Amino acid sequence: MKILVATEKPFAKVAVDGIRQETEAAGNELVLLEKYTDKAQLLDAVKDADALIIRSDKVDAEVLAAAPKLKIVVRAGAGFDNVDLNAASAQKVVVENTPGQNSNAVAELVLGMLVYAVRNFYNGKAGTELMGKRLGILAFGNVGRNVARIAKGFGMEVSAYDAFCPAEAIEAAGVKAAKNQEELFETCDIVSLHIPATPETKQSINYELVGKMKKGGILVNTARKEVIDEAGLAKLMAEREDLKYITDIMPDADETFRQFEGRYFATPKKMGAQTQEANINAGIAAARQITAFFKEGCTKFQVNKGMF
Ligand code: 3PG
């Protein structure tokens, strides 16, 4: 079987070595397409692939149509909004993710970016501390839970809201459960987003919701840029000079946000999961899931179950 690793943003070399080892030990062949700049390169590379490992790489109907032998796509990571599940299912292609494997890396970056933000992007002026501040976590999945764990180490008060996680489960983790997302924004000094990009969440972080934040509020986004109503947030930040927005996902409206110098920070490439450890965890998990799929028909992490 030919296993293609197609990563516009490559894994660390040590992770690629691990993926190769796992793949070849199972008697399969590894093909690497890294740092591609043109979709045509991906369309060409998938034409004889039996399996595909990706990160945030877009696997749309065109890519799937160019891959007649494809049986499985594994998104080495959590969010699979970059894969067209309907098109994959129509072609009977199994789609999987590797939940939890890169969540600590993302969570560490959240706290790192927060220190950077409250210390005024290290400009030398007096900032504030995180201890005693209330952090609101929107969606209490693998990343949200890790953020809560690390934030407690900083001495922060932690609240969370998750539409799919009961309040009791949040409280059992030692975190205050907010009644809804409005309450989370109203009561917290900082809100960190960990929601997936779905039809319900897209553009849901808007003028009205963020406008509920207290004076000096900080919004952190290491989830997806699509969940932000960028025009609404920019309008709000123009009206409220106390608000900060920090993200590891460059907004489409980056140019507009740049006017908020000292209150806006974005990394050029999504980098929450860009650590050796996360690459090793997610990459090798993906390779192992592919081995198990071909050897035993295992589809434990399939996200398009029941779609074909
Ligand atoms: C994820 O969904 O797992 C994260 O957003 C990481 O994405 P990346 O693999 O593109 O860094």
Side-chain angles (χ1 to χ4, degrees), residues 6-289:
T7 47
E8 182 271 323
K9 181 179 61 190
F11 290 119
K13 185 184 175 299
V14 61
V16 176
D17 292 346
I19 296 169
R20 185 181 299 284
Q21 205 173 21
E22 166 63 34
T23 302
E24 291 177 355
N28 294 317
E29 183 193 344
L30 186 82
V31 181
L32 259 188
L33 174 68
E34 291 182 323
K35 291 187 189 170
Y36 56 92
T37 49
D38 198 338
K39 188 177 183 184
Q41 293 169 272
L42 179 61
L43 293 175
D44 185 53
V46 294
K47 65 180 188 294
D48 55 355
D50 297 284
L52 178 58
I53 295 176
I54 50 159
R55 296 186 64 177
S56 290
D57 308 80
K58 279 211 162 38
V59 175
D60 59 14
E62 192 185 5
V63 173
L64 288 155
K69 294 175 74 184
L70 196 64
K71 293 149 197 83
I72 180 166
V73 177
V74 182
R75 192 283 192 242
F80 46 87
D81 47 304
N82 49 324
V83 182
D84 184 333
L85 293 190
N86 289 322
S89 305
Q91 245 174 265
K92 296 193 167 38
V93 173
V94 168
V95 181
E96 299 189 357
N97 65 349
T98 64
Q101 300 289 351
N102 58 19
S103 49
N104 181 65
V106 180
E108 285 190 11
L109 186 72
V110 169
L111 273 296
M113 291 203 309
L114 271 180
V115 173
Y116 187 51
V118 296
R119 296 301 182 98
N120 299 317
F121 305 155
Y122 303 155
N123 70 354
K125 292 194 182 143
T128 59
E129 298 182 20
L130 293 173
M131 185 183 273
K133 305 294 183 309
R134 185 163 286 281
L135 173 68
I137 298 175
L138 186 57
F140 205 57
N142 290 308
V143 181
R145 283 171 185 270
N146 274 289
V147 171
R149 171 180 57 79
I150 303 169
K152 283 187 200 173
F154 274 83
M156 299 187 80
E157 307 291 329
V158 186
S159 298
Y161 174 72
D162 189 318
F164 301 97
C165 179
E168 300 74 57
I170 292 174
E171 300 271 351
V175 169
K176 188 176 187 318
K179 274 201 286 297
N180 49 42
Q181 56 180 19
E182 285 75 16
E183 185 185 277
L184 195 75
F185 277 80
E186 271 163 18
T187 55
C188 294
D189 303 294
I190 297 162
V191 173
S192 186
L193 306 175
H194 301 290
I195 44 177
T198 65
E200 293 73 35
T201 64
K202 279 182 186 170
Q203 308 260 326
S204 67
I205 309 302
N206 55 26
Y207 178 89
E208 207 194 339
L209 187 62
V210 185
K212 293 184 184 300
M213 290 193 84
K214 297 187 215 171
K215 192 166 181 328
I218 304 175
L219 179 66
V220 193
N221 181 16
T222 54
R224 289 290 181 271
K225 68 178 173 193
E226 290 83 357
V227 303
I228 304 281
D229 169 6
E230 293 184 359
L233 180 59
K235 179 173 181 283
L236 182 70
M237 287 179 73
E239 289 171 15
R240 281 191 50 183
E241 290 184 5
D242 59 301
L243 293 178
K244 284 188 177 140
Y245 179 49
I246 55 174
T247 178
D248 77 331
I249 317 140
M250 182 83 70
D252 290 333
D254 176 55
E255 278 295 313
T256 308
F257 281 100
R258 275 168 195 260
Q259 70 180 291
F260 307 121
E261 208 195 324
R263 301 193 283 132
Y264 164 68
F265 172 77
T267 57
K269 249 181 209 260
K270 184 147 69 94
M271 59 173 291
Q274 195 63 323
T275 64
Q276 290 199 1
E277 293 88 341
N279 287 180
I280 291 167
N281 293 344
I284 296 177
R288 287 196 180 133
Q289 286 172 216

